Amino acid sequence: MTAQTHSAAEYALELRGIDKHFGAVHANKNIDLKVEKGTIHGIVGENGAGKSTLMSIIYGFYEADQGDIAIDGQVLKIRDSKTAIASGIGMVHQHFMLIQNFTALENVVLGAESGELIDDSLDKARTELNRLSDEFGLSVPLDQPVEELSVGFQQRIEILKALYRGARILILDEPTGVLTPQETEHLFKVLDSLKAQGTTVILITHKLREILAATDNVSVMRRGEMVAHVKTAETNQEELAELMVGRKVLLQVDKGDSAPGDVKLSVRNLSMTDSAGVKRLDNVSLDVRAGEIVGIAGVSGNGQSELLETLAGITPVDSGTIDLNGHTLDVQHPMNPSQVRKAGIGHIPEDRHRMGLINTFSAYEAFVLGYHRNHEYNGALQMKQGAIIEDCKEKMERWDVRPQDPYLKTANFSGGNQQKLVIAREIEQNPDVLLIGQPTRGVDIGAIESIHKRILEMRDAGKAILLVSVELDEIRSLSDRILVMFDGTIVGEVPADKADERTLGLMMANIVPDDIKALQAEEPA
Amino acid sequence: MELFDSIILILDATLRNATPLIFAALAGMFSERSGIVNIALEGKILISAFAGASAAYYTGSPWMGLLAGIMASVVFAQLHAFATVTHNGDHVVSGLAINILAAGLTAAVGNYWFSQGGNTPNLVSRAEELNARFEPIVFPFADALADVPIIGGIYSELLSGHYILVYLAFLAVPLCWFVLFRTRFGLRLRATGENPQAVDTAGISVTQVRYLALLVCGVLAGFAGVYLAVALTAQFSPNMSAGKGYMALAALIFGKWRPKTTMLACLLFGALQAIADRSQGAIIFGFEVPVQLVEALPYILTVVLLGGFIGRAVAPKAIGKPYVKERA
């Protein structure tokens, strides 16, 4: 290689002045980015900072309004994913782009067929995939429908898809959200061996620890702008967090000791089978006392959602009993969500778009959802519009929801403010027990800080809190006790001070370390 | 021997009845497997029946009729694609629009051209020295074997003597299977019906796949319509499709969107129709069987069987959803 070609191709990817609008939203503002060849380059930013949009532009899924993309020093016009793939760009999307009822092999071949008939393509792909999976530790069952495989395998298929197409630049969008810590570690090993083979990797995440662990360089995005490029070795979590948010943030919450009181929520031998006949909850028992936070950890999809929904009265119980603040909920005594609320239970659902809010409703309407029968909101015939709006203004003020406009449509608030709407609504009703699912999903770091503070305040006010989250950091920093779920069962309990990442990670994969076993033998529940 | 003859006659009629259903159901399969709900099969059958009969009448050739019928049906299918793919229209609404358009257009234009209340003139007419209908294909030695017991019935009556389109329908089944499950086009088409976004990110144009799928759908639906007007009867009459498009759709669902099972469903519906035709006035246990009941059987069966007996029919996942690139 001559010196000249070397300098021309120093950067695998270079962006100059990328600009993109979606209607009134300015998603990417004049973005510049240089990614060195053969490195792992991290891009961090809060939700809605424009990371995914930028990557979709590189991958040709969206077209930029302005700006140039250069691959290996050559400016290219990437109008569609086909061009991007042909230029050696591969992407693993946050939501996997797989055909669920196709096999791994068929998914890999789709779009990269070698001829009109697929049999040849499949044979060729099988040979190549066996080679790739040996080389990078990416083995997957090739002939099983993807829907039967775990998310870890599905992600491998996505990576194999990109490699099979000859990707020299691999973009991964929030790849670790669905993985256990061990799977994450394995993924980073794979990325390292890809790097060793000369592949350039772009890793998008909002988890700062992973950026520090896996990347060579980091670029930080904030509100559609690229605000900093730093060498990973020369930075730390605090600095990155500050760059992301634009002000100093407290990453660790100050938490005093808990003072647990009476048992407010008690679950015994709870089982639940869904409509497809899959057992979602299997003999789950747990207690939550007043004044403590019990965290439920686990990889997404291991029964946490079902547990919350059953406790909230959304899904009927199959067997077992639940004692909700002195009210019994079982097969003989079913309760609907409204009765559960009346029993003094507040529920902050995991997915605010699916269950917590109605996007087209105004903020003041969002504040009464589920409590719309309360007498303070109702007159003889009509709802008390004025009182509801006043009430909403007051709560928005108290919770610092921005903008403070009761008439604004829910959809037009940012993720963090939408979440505040839901949390404020539930907490302001002053329940005795709070069921909280993913309180900070899609919420920016600044808002996470204040939401965490509010949850701890509730604990200190003597509420019993059950917290479900897939963010281990969140579970660890808030919970007093941690239960780990796997495949619908509770694998074990860990006191907060023993809950290091390794322990939780193993338990999330259904392996209970010996010291935890000993601990549980000592004090039987 | 009389029972045997009856059975042969019913089976014979079954093949004839099933033919348009098979063509139409296969047409629907291409469209629905690509993600486009095809309630418009009815309209496509009707327009191709009309175009086929008209062209056959003017040219005197059933083959020209077939060509014209296919072309008309393809035009309608591409219209459907324009509405549903290019403009992200609702599949059912645009499908219904096509059905209404076909029903109105054929009657109005037919009346304007031929002044016979919407009918086309008969395609077989001694006075005009016209024979524009498809001729039955008689197998070799069919006459000679006709009197041999059993074999004669099966060979000469059941297998021999159908219109070429009947044989083509049954040939089309394995052919469509091959295209859908063994070719690149088929792989992409099925993927598009399941997850168009994944197809898009794999570098394949969803629009192109869906237009092509509807093109194939148009061709196959054209065969169904032309069979009705230029083979089974020798004339187009208004609304002659008489719900066959919907029945084909039911067979497609019944057959779980797979070629072989869909063909079996079409044969079952065809057989019920044949039995209904033959059982007019038949008396069982002293009661006269109401013909309406037998005729309603295919529909009742669809409802009952889809309601749980055959297990859940899993439709292509993205069916009926226009593909719009969402903001992530």
Side-chain angles (χ1 to χ4, degrees), chain A residues 207-229:
Chain A
K207 296 183 185 170
L208 298 175
R209 214 153 24 77
E210 291 175 355
I211 285 285
L212 294 176
T215 64
D216 300 305
N217 298 298
V218 197
S219 299
V220 185
M221 288 188 78
R222 183 169 75 226
R223 294 198 189 127
E225 286 176 276
M226 200 57 99
V227 292
H229 303 283

PDB file of all heavy atoms in Angstrom, chain A residues 207-229:
ATOM      1  N   LYS A 207     -25.707   3.642  26.911  1.00  0.00           N
ATOM      2  CA  LYS A 207     -25.076   3.138  28.126  1.00  0.00           C
ATOM      3  C   LYS A 207     -23.600   3.508  28.132  1.00  0.00           C
ATOM      4  O   LYS A 207     -22.813   2.978  27.357  1.00  0.00           O
ATOM      5  CB  LYS A 207     -25.239   1.618  28.198  1.00  0.00           C
ATOM      6  CG  LYS A 207     -26.698   1.206  28.313  1.00  0.00           C
ATOM      7  CD  LYS A 207     -26.822  -0.275  28.458  1.00  0.00           C
ATOM      8  CE  LYS A 207     -28.285  -0.688  28.448  1.00  0.00           C
ATOM      9  NZ  LYS A 207     -28.447  -2.134  28.363  1.00  0.00           N
ATOM     10  N   LEU A 208     -23.258   4.409  29.018  1.00  0.00           N
ATOM     11  CA  LEU A 208     -21.914   4.961  29.003  1.00  0.00           C
ATOM     12  C   LEU A 208     -20.863   3.923  29.367  1.00  0.00           C
ATOM     13  O   LEU A 208     -19.765   3.919  28.835  1.00  0.00           O
ATOM     14  CB  LEU A 208     -21.842   6.134  29.984  1.00  0.00           C
ATOM     15  CG  LEU A 208     -22.773   7.279  29.604  1.00  0.00           C
ATOM     16  CD1 LEU A 208     -22.764   8.353  30.673  1.00  0.00           C
ATOM     17  CD2 LEU A 208     -22.340   7.867  28.272  1.00  0.00           C
ATOM     18  N   ARG A 209     -21.214   3.025  30.269  1.00  0.00           N
ATOM     19  CA  ARG A 209     -20.247   2.035  30.700  1.00  0.00           C
ATOM     20  C   ARG A 209     -19.792   1.172  29.519  1.00  0.00           C
ATOM     21  O   ARG A 209     -18.610   0.835  29.392  1.00  0.00           O
ATOM     22  CB  ARG A 209     -20.873   1.156  31.773  1.00  0.00           C
ATOM     23  CG  ARG A 209     -19.933   0.690  32.829  1.00  0.00           C
ATOM     24  CD  ARG A 209     -20.634   0.415  34.149  1.00  0.00           C
ATOM     25  NE  ARG A 209     -22.049   0.124  33.983  1.00  0.00           N
ATOM     26  CZ  ARG A 209     -22.525  -1.039  33.560  1.00  0.00           C
ATOM     27  NH1 ARG A 209     -21.698  -2.006  33.265  1.00  0.00           N
ATOM     28  NH2 ARG A 209     -23.823  -1.220  33.456  1.00  0.00           N
ATOM     29  N   GLU A 210     -20.747   0.841  28.655  1.00  0.00           N
ATOM     30  CA  GLU A 210     -20.401   0.014  27.502  1.00  0.00           C
ATOM     31  C   GLU A 210     -19.504   0.749  26.526  1.00  0.00           C
ATOM     32  O   GLU A 210     -18.599   0.172  25.932  1.00  0.00           O
ATOM     33  CB  GLU A 210     -21.681  -0.423  26.792  1.00  0.00           C
ATOM     34  CG  GLU A 210     -22.450  -1.405  27.649  1.00  0.00           C
ATOM     35  CD  GLU A 210     -23.776  -1.776  27.059  1.00  0.00           C
ATOM     36  OE1 GLU A 210     -24.151  -1.203  26.012  1.00  0.00           O
ATOM     37  OE2 GLU A 210     -24.447  -2.634  27.647  1.00  0.00           O
ATOM     38  N   ILE A 211     -19.770   2.036  26.366  1.00  0.00           N
ATOM     39  CA  ILE A 211     -18.921   2.845  25.499  1.00  0.00           C
ATOM     40  C   ILE A 211     -17.486   2.785  25.993  1.00  0.00           C
ATOM     41  O   ILE A 211     -16.551   2.539  25.232  1.00  0.00           O
ATOM     42  CB  ILE A 211     -19.415   4.309  25.513  1.00  0.00           C
ATOM     43  CG1 ILE A 211     -20.680   4.441  24.676  1.00  0.00           C
ATOM     44  CG2 ILE A 211     -18.346   5.254  25.024  1.00  0.00           C
ATOM     45  CD1 ILE A 211     -20.457   4.403  23.207  1.00  0.00           C
ATOM     46  N   LEU A 212     -17.321   2.965  27.304  1.00  0.00           N
ATOM     47  CA  LEU A 212     -15.976   2.966  27.867  1.00  0.00           C
ATOM     48  C   LEU A 212     -15.328   1.597  27.731  1.00  0.00           C
ATOM     49  O   LEU A 212     -14.123   1.491  27.526  1.00  0.00           O
ATOM     50  CB  LEU A 212     -16.023   3.399  29.335  1.00  0.00           C
ATOM     51  CG  LEU A 212     -16.471   4.852  29.534  1.00  0.00           C
ATOM     52  CD1 LEU A 212     -16.590   5.166  31.019  1.00  0.00           C
ATOM     53  CD2 LEU A 212     -15.490   5.821  28.881  1.00  0.00           C
ATOM     54  N   ALA A 213     -16.124   0.557  27.831  1.00  0.00           N
ATOM     55  CA  ALA A 213     -15.563  -0.789  27.795  1.00  0.00           C
ATOM     56  C   ALA A 213     -15.192  -1.219  26.380  1.00  0.00           C
ATOM     57  O   ALA A 213     -14.252  -1.980  26.192  1.00  0.00           O
ATOM     58  CB  ALA A 213     -16.558  -1.779  28.393  1.00  0.00           C
ATOM     59  N   ALA A 214     -15.908  -0.756  25.390  1.00  0.00           N
ATOM     60  CA  ALA A 214     -15.767  -1.381  24.082  1.00  0.00           C
ATOM     61  C   ALA A 214     -15.157  -0.528  22.984  1.00  0.00           C
ATOM     62  O   ALA A 214     -14.709  -1.047  21.976  1.00  0.00           O
ATOM     63  CB  ALA A 214     -17.139  -1.886  23.609  1.00  0.00           C
ATOM     64  N   THR A 215     -15.126   0.795  23.142  1.00  0.00           N
ATOM     65  CA  THR A 215     -14.787   1.605  21.964  1.00  0.00           C
ATOM     66  C   THR A 215     -13.385   2.198  22.011  1.00  0.00           C
ATOM     67  O   THR A 215     -12.735   2.221  23.051  1.00  0.00           O
ATOM     68  CB  THR A 215     -15.787   2.776  21.812  1.00  0.00           C
ATOM     69  OG1 THR A 215     -15.638   3.644  22.939  1.00  0.00           O
ATOM     70  CG2 THR A 215     -17.204   2.269  21.756  1.00  0.00           C
ATOM     71  N   ASP A 216     -12.953   2.690  20.849  1.00  0.00           N
ATOM     72  CA  ASP A 216     -11.684   3.401  20.741  1.00  0.00           C
ATOM     73  C   ASP A 216     -11.902   4.910  20.772  1.00  0.00           C
ATOM     74  O   ASP A 216     -11.134   5.651  21.365  1.00  0.00           O
ATOM     75  CB  ASP A 216     -10.987   3.034  19.427  1.00  0.00           C
ATOM     76  CG  ASP A 216     -10.698   1.546  19.360  1.00  0.00           C
ATOM     77  OD1 ASP A 216     -10.044   1.042  20.291  1.00  0.00           O
ATOM     78  OD2 ASP A 216     -11.131   0.898  18.405  1.00  0.00           O
ATOM     79  N   ASN A 217     -12.963   5.331  20.065  1.00  0.00           N
ATOM     80  CA  ASN A 217     -13.293   6.757  20.022  1.00  0.00           C
ATOM     81  C   ASN A 217     -14.781   6.924  20.314  1.00  0.00           C
ATOM     82  O   ASN A 217     -15.565   6.013  20.094  1.00  0.00           O
ATOM     83  CB  ASN A 217     -13.025   7.339  18.625  1.00  0.00           C
ATOM     84  CG  ASN A 217     -11.555   7.226  18.261  1.00  0.00           C
ATOM     85  OD1 ASN A 217     -10.698   7.789  18.923  1.00  0.00           O
ATOM     86  ND2 ASN A 217     -11.279   6.456  17.212  1.00  0.00           N
ATOM     87  N   VAL A 218     -15.140   8.096  20.797  1.00  0.00           N
ATOM     88  CA  VAL A 218     -16.554   8.369  21.058  1.00  0.00           C
ATOM     89  C   VAL A 218     -16.956   9.693  20.455  1.00  0.00           C
ATOM     90  O   VAL A 218     -16.201  10.676  20.546  1.00  0.00           O
ATOM     91  CB  VAL A 218     -16.852   8.488  22.573  1.00  0.00           C
ATOM     92  CG1 VAL A 218     -18.344   8.339  22.830  1.00  0.00           C
ATOM     93  CG2 VAL A 218     -16.062   7.504  23.370  1.00  0.00           C
ATOM     94  N   SER A 219     -18.141   9.724  19.871  1.00  0.00           N
ATOM     95  CA  SER A 219     -18.730  10.994  19.469  1.00  0.00           C
ATOM     96  C   SER A 219     -20.010  11.165  20.253  1.00  0.00           C
ATOM     97  O   SER A 219     -20.733  10.201  20.482  1.00  0.00           O
ATOM     98  CB  SER A 219     -19.036  11.001  17.970  1.00  0.00           C
ATOM     99  OG  SER A 219     -17.842  10.835  17.246  1.00  0.00           O
ATOM    100  N   VAL A 220     -20.282  12.375  20.674  1.00  0.00           N
ATOM    101  CA  VAL A 220     -21.457  12.623  21.506  1.00  0.00           C
ATOM    102  C   VAL A 220     -22.450  13.483  20.741  1.00  0.00           C
ATOM    103  O   VAL A 220     -22.073  14.495  20.131  1.00  0.00           O
ATOM    104  CB  VAL A 220     -21.057  13.346  22.812  1.00  0.00           C
ATOM    105  CG1 VAL A 220     -22.275  13.490  23.719  1.00  0.00           C
ATOM    106  CG2 VAL A 220     -19.946  12.593  23.512  1.00  0.00           C
ATOM    107  N   MET A 221     -23.704  13.069  20.749  1.00  0.00           N
ATOM    108  CA  MET A 221     -24.751  13.854  20.094  1.00  0.00           C
ATOM    109  C   MET A 221     -25.696  14.423  21.142  1.00  0.00           C
ATOM    110  O   MET A 221     -25.995  13.776  22.138  1.00  0.00           O
ATOM    111  CB  MET A 221     -25.541  12.995  19.122  1.00  0.00           C
ATOM    112  CG  MET A 221     -24.773  12.632  17.879  1.00  0.00           C
ATOM    113  SD  MET A 221     -25.827  11.811  16.659  1.00  0.00           S
ATOM    114  CE  MET A 221     -26.696  13.221  15.969  1.00  0.00           C
ATOM    115  N   ARG A 222     -26.141  15.629  20.884  1.00  0.00           N
ATOM    116  CA  ARG A 222     -27.138  16.247  21.762  1.00  0.00           C
ATOM    117  C   ARG A 222     -28.087  17.060  20.912  1.00  0.00           C
ATOM    118  O   ARG A 222     -27.663  17.907  20.151  1.00  0.00           O
ATOM    119  CB  ARG A 222     -26.444  17.128  22.798  1.00  0.00           C
ATOM    120  CG  ARG A 222     -27.416  17.743  23.790  1.00  0.00           C
ATOM    121  CD  ARG A 222     -26.687  18.390  24.958  1.00  0.00           C
ATOM    122  NE  ARG A 222     -26.069  19.649  24.586  1.00  0.00           N
ATOM    123  CZ  ARG A 222     -24.828  20.002  24.912  1.00  0.00           C
ATOM    124  NH1 ARG A 222     -24.060  19.184  25.577  1.00  0.00           N
ATOM    125  NH2 ARG A 222     -24.360  21.166  24.560  1.00  0.00           N
ATOM    126  N   ARG A 223     -29.369  16.798  21.046  1.00  0.00           N
ATOM    127  CA  ARG A 223     -30.422  17.528  20.315  1.00  0.00           C
ATOM    128  C   ARG A 223     -30.091  17.718  18.849  1.00  0.00           C
ATOM    129  O   ARG A 223     -30.142  18.825  18.314  1.00  0.00           O
ATOM    130  CB  ARG A 223     -30.638  18.893  20.969  1.00  0.00           C
ATOM    131  CG  ARG A 223     -31.207  18.681  22.342  1.00  0.00           C
ATOM    132  CD  ARG A 223     -31.851  19.883  22.916  1.00  0.00           C
ATOM    133  NE  ARG A 223     -32.152  19.576  24.307  1.00  0.00           N
ATOM    134  CZ  ARG A 223     -31.779  20.333  25.314  1.00  0.00           C
ATOM    135  NH1 ARG A 223     -31.137  21.436  25.107  1.00  0.00           N
ATOM    136  NH2 ARG A 223     -32.091  19.976  26.527  1.00  0.00           N
ATOM    137  N   GLY A 224     -29.721  16.619  18.189  1.00  0.00           N
ATOM    138  CA  GLY A 224     -29.511  16.675  16.748  1.00  0.00           C
ATOM    139  C   GLY A 224     -28.151  17.193  16.330  1.00  0.00           C
ATOM    140  O   GLY A 224     -27.856  17.277  15.148  1.00  0.00           O
ATOM    141  N   GLU A 225     -27.330  17.586  17.298  1.00  0.00           N
ATOM    142  CA  GLU A 225     -26.016  18.101  16.942  1.00  0.00           C
ATOM    143  C   GLU A 225     -24.915  17.186  17.447  1.00  0.00           C
ATOM    144  O   GLU A 225     -25.079  16.497  18.444  1.00  0.00           O
ATOM    145  CB  GLU A 225     -25.808  19.490  17.551  1.00  0.00           C
ATOM    146  CG  GLU A 225     -26.590  20.563  16.846  1.00  0.00           C
ATOM    147  CD  GLU A 225     -26.430  21.906  17.543  1.00  0.00           C
ATOM    148  OE1 GLU A 225     -27.175  22.143  18.518  1.00  0.00           O
ATOM    149  OE2 GLU A 225     -25.572  22.685  17.119  1.00  0.00           O
ATOM    150  N   MET A 226     -23.783  17.221  16.743  1.00  0.00           N
ATOM    151  CA  MET A 226     -22.621  16.491  17.206  1.00  0.00           C
ATOM    152  C   MET A 226     -21.852  17.458  18.089  1.00  0.00           C
ATOM    153  O   MET A 226     -21.415  18.507  17.628  1.00  0.00           O
ATOM    154  CB  MET A 226     -21.801  16.080  15.975  1.00  0.00           C
ATOM    155  CG  MET A 226     -20.856  14.954  16.196  1.00  0.00           C
ATOM    156  SD  MET A 226     -21.648  13.461  16.802  1.00  0.00           S
ATOM    157  CE  MET A 226     -21.829  12.495  15.330  1.00  0.00           C
ATOM    158  N   VAL A 227     -21.753  17.148  19.395  1.00  0.00           N
ATOM    159  CA  VAL A 227     -21.171  18.151  20.289  1.00  0.00           C
ATOM    160  C   VAL A 227     -19.727  17.865  20.677  1.00  0.00           C
ATOM    161  O   VAL A 227     -19.040  18.753  21.157  1.00  0.00           O
ATOM    162  CB  VAL A 227     -22.008  18.341  21.571  1.00  0.00           C
ATOM    163  CG1 VAL A 227     -23.338  18.989  21.236  1.00  0.00           C
ATOM    164  CG2 VAL A 227     -22.222  17.017  22.267  1.00  0.00           C
ATOM    165  N   ALA A 228     -19.287  16.616  20.504  1.00  0.00           N
ATOM    166  CA  ALA A 228     -17.905  16.348  20.885  1.00  0.00           C
ATOM    167  C   ALA A 228     -17.398  15.072  20.244  1.00  0.00           C
ATOM    168  O   ALA A 228     -18.166  14.153  19.973  1.00  0.00           O
ATOM    169  CB  ALA A 228     -17.808  16.221  22.405  1.00  0.00           C
ATOM    170  N   HIS A 229     -16.102  15.038  19.979  1.00  0.00           N
ATOM    171  CA  HIS A 229     -15.429  13.804  19.578  1.00  0.00           C
ATOM    172  C   HIS A 229     -14.267  13.627  20.545  1.00  0.00           C
ATOM    173  O   HIS A 229     -13.437  14.515  20.673  1.00  0.00           O
ATOM    174  CB  HIS A 229     -14.871  13.918  18.164  1.00  0.00           C
ATOM    175  CG  HIS A 229     -15.915  14.266  17.149  1.00  0.00           C
ATOM    176  ND1 HIS A 229     -16.809  13.343  16.662  1.00  0.00           N
ATOM    177  CD2 HIS A 229     -16.216  15.433  16.550  1.00  0.00           C
ATOM    178  CE1 HIS A 229     -17.606  13.940  15.794  1.00  0.00           C
ATOM    179  NE2 HIS A 229     -17.276  15.209  15.710  1.00  0.00           N
TER     180      HIS A 229
END
